[in-house]
Amino acid sequence: MTGTYQFHVGMDVVCISASQPAHTSMPSDLVEGATYKLRWVGMHEHYVEGEYLGVRLEGIHRGTCRIWGDVDTPFRATRFRPLVRDRLGGLRALLAGGPVAPSIDDPQRVTKKVEEKV
């Protein structure tokens, strides 16, 4: 699965698609732009939709599908994006090719006035 995000249990995500998908009788209960916490991540096999990466969310238990019989059917992971609190940090990580941590050599803002003597 190239191009997918690295989802993990406990991660905060943002819903980017709350529309009702085809071939499902279960209500979405999602709000576009709302944040959720993942309680389960894994592959799910659907009778019509095939296999997909699914996520289950804390606070939402979908019950049993009356048509397909799936219990607590997961949402497609493509409907979510990881919550990024530092937008520039994500860009820095992308440009650097990995996670970015501040270096001890980075310039620091001086808050105390320094007096020079000649």
Side-chain angles (χ1 to χ4, degrees), residues 29-75:
D29 292 332
L30 296 175
V31 176
E32 199 164 313
T35 60
Y36 299 94
K37 186 175 288 268
L38 301 181
R39 66 176 167 93
W40 180 88
V41 178
M43 297 305 294
H44 178 72
E45 181 82 31
H46 188 271
Y47 182 75
V48 175
E49 297 291 321
E51 188 175 48
Y52 62 87
L53 180 62
V55 297
R56 291 186 179 122
L57 309 171
E58 285 187 8
I60 298 178
H61 190 282
R62 301 184 77 195
T64 302
C65 177
R66 62 188 198 300
I67 295 175
W68 307 110
D70 290 339
V71 177
D72 196 18
T73 305
F75 296 102

Side-chain angles (χ1 to χ4, degrees), residues 7 14-21 24 28 30 62 75-81:
F7 289 112
V14 176
C15 176
I16 60 167
S17 174
S19 62
Q20 183 70 21
T24 183
S28 172
L30 296 175
R62 301 184 77 195
F75 296 102
R76 283 187 176 272
T78 55
R79 300 176 78 174
F80 302 92
R81 294 290 180 264

